[in-house]
Amino acid sequence: MEQFLHLPTIMIVYALGTLVVAVISLGIWWHDRSNKASALLGFACVAGIVGAILHGLRLVLPFWLSTGLGFPIAFVGIGLFWSAFAAFDNRRPNYLMVFAGALLSLAIYPLSLFQDSTVFRAVIAAMVFGVYNGLAAWEVYRGGLREPLPSRPLACAINLGHALLWLARIPFALFVAPPVDAQEHYAAWFVTLSLLSALSNMFGMFSVAMLAKDRSERRYKIAAETDALTGLDNRRSFIAKTEEMLARPAEAAAMLVCDLDYFKQVNDTDGHLAGDRVLVTFAELLRRHMPENAAVARFGGEEFACLLPGARLEQARAVADAFRQAVERQAIPFEGRTLSVTVSIGVAVKGEGRAPLDLLLASADTMLYLAKAEGRNCVRAMQLPAALAASAGRGGASDQAGAVAGRTLNSRPA
């Protein structure tokens, strides 16, 4: 086996590959000191290389240096590797756990069993590396519960597989053959598992880069689809989502268009920071009061829109009016004083059958203008006739909306 798989060569290649990862990771951290995951990964690689070199020179160096010091340094490296995944998901690493493997190694170093038995040392190393890689897989998994990324399942599988490769050494060392015999010949199973472990360890280190890439893409996607101030969908994202919802013709749907009353006066009187506070509070109320399956967006300025799948006229009007009242009651603290606003809402409802999005929006806009004209702080709603929806392709959406503006269901405060 050694003529095909030369263990020292494998370790040299592994060390060089790990060095490349260390340089890249520490370079990223040097340019962005807030990137703790890259820093921990870089230092993990450095510790892993030093530990591997010291132990690899065990025939040249004294035992206390090659193994007594090499083991703890390598164990610190795998502990830092685990903590890099915790830092990636903005969790504070448990540094006592990071150094637990190294402390264990130092504690058992004086034992004659540790100094005399290669099998015992192999079992200890397998346990420590296996546990830390298992913890890394767990960190990736639980991070995915909060932030699902496409590469998380693969990264979790890589680290879990690496843990199993290490733990597999235990039964081989105990029941098959010692990893190294008296003539310093490596067992075939040991060389094979060492090669597989070196490969999976490289994949494990690169899995951090895969996760970082996916997170960057996800953040760009979120930034392109959401309103920066309120966190709601922006107009483009809302249109894409609602067109998909409206593609289900057998389902009724209601479009709500909301506009804050006299919002310009808030900006002019109290300043734009006050206006931003009002918009953020309004968005939070909108999220809270709309059904879970609703699509909610800020269209721009003080205008917001919401599509309620499955809602009919009475239900949509009730939801809109309950939200209007919640806005009217909401006190908004700002710099020692209290702000208050009201909202006008236009509602357009389609029954079963197809209706284009632009028709629903134009009809809801018509109802919003009516609410504004009739004193604000009220809801105006209309049912889109089935015949009008069916003929949507033969006329302008605004003209069609205006043609049925008289068929409304009104709600205003007493």
Side-chain angles (χ1 to χ4, degrees), residues 14 48 52 70-71 73-79 81 101 122-136 159 162-164 166-167 169 201:
Y14 161 73
F71 264 42
I73 292 176
F75 291 165
V76 168
I78 191 60
F81 175 76
V123 169
I124 292 297
M127 288 175 55
V128 172
F129 280 96
V131 168
Y132 276 120
N133 278 285
L135 289 173
N159 285 284
H162 193 44
L164 294 175
W166 273 103
L167 294 175
R169 298 177 182 224
N201 192 51

Side-chain angles (χ1 to χ4, degrees), residues 60-89:
V60 179
L61 300 176
F63 183 82
W64 69 265
L65 180 59
S66 64
T67 303
L69 187 60
F71 264 42
I73 292 176
F75 291 165
V76 168
I78 191 60
L80 290 172
F81 175 76
W82 158 61
S83 67
F85 288 98
F88 178 81
D89 285 312

